Amino acid sequence: MFDFGIAGYQPCWLNGVNEVANRHGRRLRGLVGRRLTSTWVVWDADDDAWFADCPVVLDFAGERLEVNHQKFDDLSITWNSVDVTRMPVWPTSDGFRLLWRDDVPAVLAARCGQRLAAVELLEWAGGDLADGCVAVGLRFADGWLTLYNALDENGLAFGQLEPQYRRHRQS
């Protein structure tokens, strides 16, 4: 199993909103009301850019949610498995210098300190190749944070939800 160079990380790839909800719905609901205390992404030090292939890590006062997307429709949600004090080492000879950062992207880091108001699984229905992809929607007091599949990597959006999403409330 490919671990993205992250010690202890074992992604569990799921497809479709029902599969994700059945596996993680209860635990996602349990995050509602908790404060987001830290966020972490893997950063490419050479390019000074977010390395969006690796999981996005969100710590809700001790309950760590790890979200990762790959291919066109794979979503992995894991819990409390990523140790952000250990540097990731990309398992190929590409020579990436990777590190964990808690201050980027700004749209993510700005949510720290806020309480989670709702969680929804979002199913893309835009009439294109991405139909059926599942995103994780997190509503904070100042808007929605969406972690979505950006074609074989993670994407982040903040603000209103795209109207092409079918919403499946988890909280």
Side-chain angles (χ1 to χ4, degrees):
M1 174 184 305
F2 189 69
D3 66 3
F4 295 80
I6 300 168
Y9 180 58
Q10 295 182 356
C12 179
W13 301 109
L14 303 173
N15 302 102
V17 71
N18 290 334
E19 193 173 5
V20 176
N22 288 339
R23 178 78 60 94
H24 297 289
R26 179 190 58 77
R27 204 156 178 189
L28 288 168
R29 283 189 298 276
L31 295 176
V32 174
R34 294 184 92 144
R35 188 174 308 279
L36 181 63
T37 53
S38 63
T39 62
W40 298 89
V41 298
V42 172
W43 197 257
D44 182 331
D46 292 323
D47 287 345
D48 194 28
W50 174 31
F51 193 70
D53 288 15
C54 292
V56 175
V57 178
L58 305 158
D59 194 326
F60 289 92
E63 181 76 311
R64 186 167 280 174
L65 170 65
E66 303 146 357
V67 178
N68 204 3
H69 292 89
Q70 75 171 5
K71 300 181 183 174
F72 287 112
D73 60 354
D74 287 353
L75 169 60
S76 174
I77 294 176
T78 54
W79 301 89
N80 303 310
S81 69
V82 172
D83 180 356
V84 296
T85 66
R86 296 182 67 186
M87 295 302 189
V89 179
W90 196 251
T92 66
S93 61
D94 294 339
F96 294 119
R97 288 188 316 123
L98 304 175
L99 56 110
W100 287 103
R101 285 193 52 186
D102 65 352
D103 59 340
V104 291
V107 68
L108 183 61
R111 311 285 74 82
C112 286
Q114 295 187 36
R115 288 197 186 278
L116 184 64
V119 176
E120 293 189 14
L121 294 177
L122 308 169
E123 182 181 17
W124 187 258
D128 56 27
L129 184 62
D131 279 359
C133 287
V134 180
V136 178
L138 305 170
R139 186 168 57 82
F140 294 94
D142 62 350
W144 284 94
L145 175 65
T146 305
L147 294 90
Y148 64 93
N149 188 320
L151 298 178
D152 200 31
E153 65 182 18
N154 296 297
L156 293 172
F158 182 74
Q160 296 298 317
L161 294 176
E162 296 283 338
Q164 293 89 345
Y165 281 123
R166 287 189 199 117
R167 297 167 66 170
H168 301 270
R169 189 172 180 94
Q170 300 301 296
S171 52

